[in-house]
Amino acid sequence: MRNCIKFLFFIFCLIAVSYNNAFSLDCVNARFLFDIKGDIDQPSDVSVSQNGDIYFVDGVNNRIVAVDNLGRFKFTFGKRGSGKGEFDLPLGIDISSDDKIYIADTGNKRIQVFDLEGNILTMFSTVLESDRNTSEPVDVLVSKFKDYLYVSDNNNHEIKVYDRGGRFKLKWGKFGEGYGEFRYPATMSANSLSEVFIADVINTRVQRFSPMGDHINDIGVWGVHPGDFFRPKGVSVSKDGWVFVSDSYMGVVQVFSSAGKFDGVICENNKKKVFRTPVGVFVDKDSRLLVVEMRANKITVLKILQ
């Protein structure tokens, strides 16, 4: 047993050294702007409104926190419960171009929609009659394509698609390792073509789809070298088409082209930027990168420099 533990420790150290060396020359530099901290307990995802205000999911506290574009506290909304405007361990957030806030209310198995002041507008269940398991929505993505809403269902290993009124339209995916299959899909993002990028956690990749669910390509494979993933959790596509992916286990954010070409790791002054359990990521229209550090209970905000 002792020898086994020593061997595992050796392998972990080897992985860490290999990863550090692998990324020493491949940098996408960013400048630190500020951290968002406070009475936060395991935040999971973040989004930005049209005026630059930042909204993030404070999951264990069952609420959404709003701060201004400099990270100064504004207000919170939500509390634990199953009523309107209440949450049960929410995970995902997205804000539409008309400033509606969409929340994956995971424990309540539903999507809730709010205005920018936190007033609830509507909600709908993500449980379908055909579900073999209980639905577990972990993220929601608002699309310009037909005003679709994409919901990643963690328990059923599939993507469900609704209109903005909550009417079910289609779904794709099943448990597996093939193209278009998932093992615990997580956060999502879209590019200017409304193509959907999905962090496929246990399959250690990001999958890219057409708006109707046709598989286009994969980004990343399992490993510890440039372009590899250990536990990809967050994905965000910038206005320039770069794909930013957080690796919660390795503590980095990597950058790719939409086709999957590795461009680099987020650095400060050409040194790898290390995050503590990075999960949700978001790149706003001003090229700010927001990284949710779940175990550090903060959101780090940086300016992308290239």
Side-chain angles (χ1 to χ4, degrees):
M1 181 67 174
R2 184 175 299 172
N3 288 336
C4 181
I5 292 173
K6 287 181 178 179
F7 176 74
L8 290 174
F9 180 74
F10 170 76
I11 292 297
F12 177 80
C13 292
L14 185 64
I15 287 172
V17 170
S18 174
Y19 198 83
N20 286 335
N21 290 339
F23 282 118
S24 60
L25 297 177
D26 299 297
C27 280
V28 174
N29 276 298
R31 183 179 73 251
F32 174 80
L33 296 178
F34 55 86
D35 284 335
I36 303 170
K37 299 180 180 181
D39 183 20
I40 305 169
D41 195 349
Q42 298 186 43
S44 55
D45 201 9
V46 64
S47 193
V48 178
S49 67
Q50 295 302 305
N51 69 359
D53 285 349
I54 299 166
Y55 294 76
F56 63 89
V57 181
D58 186 9
V60 175
N61 286 325
N62 293 289
R63 64 181 185 174
I64 308 302
V65 180
V67 301
D68 68 15
N69 64 353
L70 297 177
R72 296 172 297 201
F73 176 82
K74 294 186 70 175
F75 61 90
T76 69
F77 62 91
K79 63 179 182 179
R80 185 171 187 116
S82 58
K84 289 184 177 181
E86 298 175 343
F87 301 110
D88 184 5
L89 300 176
L91 285 172
I93 183 172
D94 197 19
I95 301 177
S96 64
S97 58
D98 60 349
D99 278 336
K100 302 294 189 302
I101 303 172
Y102 292 77
I103 305 295
D105 186 7
T106 307
N108 284 321
K109 308 172 185 59
R110 65 187 181 187
I111 303 299
Q112 295 201 71
V113 188
F114 301 83
D115 64 22
L116 291 184
E117 286 71 48
N119 301 304
I120 187 165
L121 301 175
T122 187
M123 63 182 182
F124 62 90
S125 171
T126 60
V127 180
L128 303 177
E129 290 183 6
S130 60
D131 284 347
R132 292 165 296 177
N133 301 305
T134 299
S135 174
E136 188 177 65
V138 297
D139 198 23
V140 57
L141 172 67
V142 187
S143 176
K144 295 179 181 178
F145 180 80
K146 296 187 177 182
D147 282 337
Y148 275 171
L149 299 176
Y150 298 88
V151 176
S152 54
D153 188 330
N154 195 59
N155 263 359
N156 290 301
H157 310 282
E158 65 188 11
I159 305 303
K160 295 174 175 175
V161 186
Y162 301 82
D163 65 19
R164 298 224 191 166
R167 291 175 286 270
F168 175 74
K169 293 297 183 180
L170 66 131
K171 65 178 181 177
W172 76 81
K174 63 179 181 178
F175 183 81
E177 300 176 31
Y179 297 141
E181 298 175 345
F182 301 99
R183 289 194 294 167
Y184 302 99
T187 58
M188 302 177 288
S189 187
N191 63 12
S192 61
L193 300 176
S194 296
E195 294 170 340
V196 183
F197 295 73
I198 302 166
D200 186 9
V201 178
I202 302 301
N203 284 328
T204 60
R205 63 186 176 183
V206 169
Q207 294 197 64
R208 175 188 176 195
F209 296 90
S210 75
M212 296 299 293
D214 301 307
H215 180 270
I216 299 174
N217 65 273
D218 284 357
I219 298 173
V221 294
W222 184 91
V224 296
H225 295 103
D228 298 342
F229 298 125
F230 217 92
R231 281 294 180 269
K233 290 290 183 70
V235 60
S236 182
V237 184
S238 72
K239 63 182 180 181
D240 301 316
W242 275 358
V243 183
F244 293 73
V245 185
S246 66
D247 191 315
S248 65
Y249 188 85
M250 302 307 295
V252 297
V253 175
Q254 299 187 69
V255 187
F256 302 81
S257 72
S258 293
K261 175 183 173 293
F262 174 74
D263 285 316
V265 65
I266 292 297
C267 295
E268 283 187 279
N269 300 316
N270 292 310
K271 294 183 179 180
K272 182 184 68 176
K273 174 70 174 176
V274 178
F275 303 92
R276 186 178 176 192
T277 319
V279 285
V281 293
F282 189 87
V283 182
D284 71 9
K285 60 186 178 181
D286 296 319
S287 296
R288 295 189 305 174
L289 171 64
L290 296 88
V291 182
V292 180
E293 298 187 61
M294 177 176 280
R295 293 299 181 186
N297 290 320
K298 68 177 182 178
I299 290 84
T300 299
V301 184
L302 307 107
K303 176 74 173 180
I304 302 165
L305 300 179
Q306 61 186 74

